[in-house]
Amino acid sequence: MEERAAVAAAPGKTPGPVGRLLAFAGPRRALTYLGCALSAISMLISFGPYICIWFAARDLIAVAPRWSEATQIGVYGWWALGFAVVSIALYFAGLMCTHLAAFRCASNMRKRTTEHLMHANLGYFDTHASGALRRVVDGCAAETEGLLAHKLPDTAGSIAMIAGMLILFFVFDWRLGAACLVPIAISLACMFYMMGGRGMDFMTRYMESLVKMNKTGTEYVRGIPIVKVFRQTVYSFRAFSDAIHEFTVLAQDYAVTWCQTPQSLSLTVISAAAIFLVPVAVFVAPGEDGMARLAANFAFYAIFSAVIPTAMTRVMFMSEAFQSAADAVARVEEVLAAPVISAPAAPLAPADNSIRLDEVSFTYEGAEQPALDRVSFEVPAGATVALVGPSGGGKTTAASLVPRFWDVDAGRVLVGGVDVRDMDPANLMDRVAFVFQTNRLFSQSILENVRAARPDATREEAMAALEAAQCADILEKLPNGADTVYGTSGVHLSGGEVQRLMLARAILKDAPIVVLDEATASLDVENETKVQGALSRLLSGKTVIVIAHRMRTVESADKVVVLEGGRVAEQGHPAELMERDGLFARMVRLQRESAEWTL
């Protein structure tokens, strides 16, 4: 609760990307501040050895060539070693603190997004690809972890380093210090050129391109069997090929066309910063009274200028990291803004298991035409109603509104006389079982896959559901029967076999309402017979909505609702609709004619 409360921004304030990111760390965000402070102190202490070198050079030049008179050289050496050890120890302590905060932040970010997605409308996943969501949940958390653990303390150290450099540049000899500022100014100008304007837009487009490539890559992997059957290559899978090409062009354009010259100039001047000291030393030397002091100062600045590339490189990576973090946080917040199934303060309990759609209208996000337009029909408790009609008519949409995959735009969906929005979502989901044509098994044992419908079910209950779903022959051929883990050691099942396991899930759940996307539409004769037997066991005494694709399978339905263009074209008993000779009758005749067609 403490961490969840910390995520909320203070009223009236809009924190920046880093502030919003640190909110995910909860109480451990304090460790981030401590780690950054230790890193800054470590960086300032790291200047100690350079100052010791200046003292050593001063003493040696002052007594040259009588080197033995420079008696403090050993002391300076020990002091330099002490500064280095303390600096390293503080830096590692700082990293320890920031890593603890970063790990908690990444963990909370993954937990929050995963938990939110668990409560999101199931329809949300129809419009958001799993590859893109995985990229956000896992990839963005990993990116922000690197920022908090390394980039943020390094940024604090870089700021301290730059502040310390500016002071040291003018402590010993302001003229040589000013010379050291020249490469820094040139490097900063190059960075602002790369990061500003077009560069600011690049990171957003870069992350979008990564998400798109992740999404299409996932789709490509899933479609590899089809690609192989038709002997195609990645270039034939246009979406994936275009995503790769877009990413390549974007990266090359930014790296070569936009950044090549300023980056080369920046690296050149900061790597050769000591060269800028030479003309200044030559210019001031003729009028200098203490040549020994000038020589010591020159030696100090020549050695200290080696710090400049490190400082500027950190600044460059710091800018990139902040841009990346800002984009990652924005994408995570976009997922956290996904609509969720809201639970009413005082949920109502349905009187029975009847279903009624009352003047229901629904439009998918981004669509211009409604998927359903004032649709009304009723399914009495214990009755079977078939939804039929042309593709795109709204059959699946209508069935999906019953378990609240989506919430209606207008009208009401009632279960037992209660609007589904007034029911406890958990109670609603317990009342509804689903059997779709496309199903997936988890990488778990067959038993655990079936028990996913009711985790508290005993082994005996799960085995009874498998038996009722005609799965005995499937278990016989598996090496460990119901304990065989799906997807490992070559254990794979056909579509019809997976369908029967899904029916076993539904049978085990034993929900009073069943939404069935006709499970036999694409099965072979043997599997269809077994699935029909399992369906008889599943649907007995239940309230059933079946999305029918084969007209012959609706003959036993109590009522048929014909949907066309998102509207109810006609509804009634199958025999009654045949007598009307409307759309349903025409679809039945067309399917009978196609069934008689032969080569």
Side-chain angles (χ1 to χ4, degrees):
M1 289 298 293
E2 234 181 307
E3 292 178 356
R4 187 173 289 267
V7 174
K13 294 184 179 180
T14 304
V18 175
R20 303 202 306 274
L21 178 60
L22 284 175
F24 285 98
R28 286 197 180 180
R29 65 187 300 170
L31 289 176
T32 302
Y33 300 137
L34 176 60
C36 290
L38 290 175
S39 177
I41 296 171
S42 165
M43 188 56 64
L44 291 176
I45 292 176
S46 70
F47 290 153
Y50 293 100
I51 296 174
C52 291
I53 290 174
W54 180 85
F55 280 115
R58 182 200 62 181
D59 288 3
L60 288 171
I61 293 173
V63 300
R66 302 181 304 277
W67 313 116
S68 59
E69 295 181 12
T71 57
Q72 296 297 310
I73 299 300
V75 176
Y76 298 146
W78 284 110
W79 273 103
L81 178 61
F83 281 128
V85 170
V86 172
S87 175
I88 292 172
L90 288 176
Y91 183 65
F92 274 103
L95 286 184
M96 182 69 71
C97 293
T98 55
H99 272 76
L100 289 172
F103 293 152
R104 177 59 57 87
C105 178
S107 173
N108 286 344
M109 188 176 286
R110 290 186 176 101
K111 289 176 181 176
R112 283 283 312 282
T113 49
T114 303
E115 182 182 352
H116 189 85
L117 289 174
M118 289 293 291
H119 293 89
N121 290 338
L122 294 181
Y124 175 79
F125 300 96
D126 289 338
T127 55
H128 294 76
S130 58
L133 289 175
R134 187 205 66 80
R135 165 72 186 148
V136 172
V137 173
D138 193 43
C140 289
E143 288 171 13
T144 55
E145 183 180 305
L147 170 73
L148 291 183
H150 294 280
K151 298 297 192 303
L152 210 56
D154 284 350
T155 298
S158 298
I159 294 172
M161 174 186 284
I162 292 171
M165 280 197 315
L166 291 175
I167 295 172
L168 285 179
F169 280 164
F170 296 98
V171 165
F172 301 108
D173 192 316
W174 69 268
R175 298 163 299 182
L176 295 176
C180 288
L181 289 179
V182 175
I184 294 178
I186 295 174
S187 179
L188 285 175
C190 292
M191 288 184 190
F192 281 120
Y193 176 82
M194 290 186 289
M195 298 298 180
R198 183 178 174 186
M200 292 291 288
D201 178 58
F202 165 75
M203 188 55 66
T204 301
R205 293 188 293 128
Y206 173 78
M207 297 303 296
E208 288 175 352
S209 182
L210 275 180
V211 169
K212 184 177 179 181
M213 199 159 56
N214 236 295
K215 170 185 170 182
T216 54
T218 302
E219 294 171 354
Y220 173 72
V221 170
R222 289 175 178 168
I224 280 179
I226 297 174
V227 173
K228 284 182 171 293
V229 165
F230 291 97
R231 301 184 68 182
Q232 297 180 351
T233 65
V234 66
Y235 299 103
S236 304
F237 198 84
R238 176 56 68 91
F240 191 29
S241 177
D242 287 350
I244 294 174
H245 178 71
E246 178 185 329
F247 177 81
T248 303
V249 170
L250 180 67
Q252 287 181 344
D253 178 60
Y254 182 72
V256 179
T257 307
W258 186 255
C259 291
Q260 186 177 43
T261 301
Q263 177 73 346
S264 300
L265 177 61
S266 174
L267 291 175
T268 300
V269 295
I270 63 175
S271 298
I275 294 177
F276 291 86
L277 296 171
V278 176
V280 176
V282 171
F283 180 76
V284 301
E288 190 69 23
D289 293 332
M291 287 300 296
R293 186 177 182 85
L294 177 64
N297 290 341
F298 183 87
F300 169 77
Y301 283 108
I303 296 171
F304 190 70
S305 64
V307 177
I308 295 177
T310 303
M312 301 315 297
T313 302
R314 285 187 172 186
V315 170
M316 181 173 61
F317 284 118
M318 171 185 70
S319 302
E320 178 189 345
F322 277 108
Q323 286 183 344
S324 177
D327 184 81
V329 171
R331 292 182 187 279
V332 169
E333 290 174 340
E334 184 180 341
V335 171
L336 292 176
V340 298
I341 302 176
S342 57
L348 302 177
D352 54 32
N353 298 310
S354 62
I355 299 170
R356 181 159 67 93
L357 272 67
D358 182 16
E359 292 292 310
V360 167
S361 296
F362 175 76
T363 304
Y364 286 103
E365 182 182 353
E368 296 180 0
Q369 298 297 325
L372 296 176
D373 186 12
R374 291 176 294 177
V375 169
S376 297
F377 64 84
E378 187 171 356
V379 186
T384 297
V385 169
L387 304 182
V388 303
S391 297
K395 303 183 294 296
T396 301
T397 303
S400 298
L401 294 177
V402 176
R404 286 189 74 185
F405 282 17
W406 305 98
D407 279 335
V408 298
D409 298 329
R412 298 182 302 165
V413 178
L414 307 173
V415 172
V418 176
D419 192 317
V420 292
R421 291 169 294 191
D422 294 330
M423 293 178 61
D424 181 356
N427 183 15
L428 176 62
M429 295 301 287
D430 287 342
R431 286 177 172 268
V432 184
F434 318 93
V435 181
F436 298 117
Q437 284 191 47
T438 54
N439 298 287
R440 290 178 187 163
L441 293 175
F442 302 115
S443 295
Q444 297 176 317
S445 69
I446 300 299
L447 187 70
E448 291 303 318
N449 266 286
V450 173
R451 204 148 49 184
R454 187 155 62 89
D456 60 342
T458 64
R459 181 182 181 89
E460 290 71 25
E461 289 172 326
M463 293 301 294
L466 284 164
E467 183 67 28
Q470 312 289 316
C471 296
D473 60 320
I474 300 176
L475 301 182
E476 287 176 3
K477 73 175 186 178
L478 296 176
N480 298 312
D483 296 313
T484 302
V485 176
Y486 175 76
T488 58
S489 303
V491 176
H492 297 283
L493 303 173
S494 69
E497 291 169 334
V498 171
Q499 195 75 27
R500 281 186 271 160
L501 292 176
M502 295 303 100
L503 287 171
R505 259 189 202 167
I507 291 172
L508 180 62
K509 187 173 183 179
D510 196 27
I513 298 173
V514 178
V515 177
L516 177 67
D517 189 351
E518 190 179 322
T520 61
S522 57
L523 300 183
D524 57 69
V525 175
E526 180 182 355
N527 273 303
E528 180 177 356
T529 302
K530 292 180 178 179
V531 168
Q532 288 288 8
L535 283 174
S536 300
R537 166 70 175 81
L538 170 65
L539 304 181
S540 177
K542 307 291 177 62
T543 301
V544 181
I545 293 180
V546 55
I547 302 169
H549 304 280
R550 297 181 181 180
M551 297 301 104
R552 64 182 177 80
T553 62
V554 306
E555 294 173 354
S556 59
D558 298 299
K559 181 166 69 173
V560 173
V561 178
V562 183
L563 293 169
E564 182 180 25
R567 292 174 175 267
V568 176
E570 54 185 351
Q571 57 180 308
H573 191 274
E576 177 187 340
L577 293 181
M578 287 299 295
E579 292 177 2
R580 292 183 192 174
D581 197 26
L583 178 58
F584 177 73
R586 290 198 300 274
M587 293 178 69
V588 171
R589 286 197 296 270
L590 285 172
Q591 285 208 352
R592 285 175 179 171
E593 291 172 7
S594 64
E596 296 171 358
W597 182 84
T598 58
L599 288 172

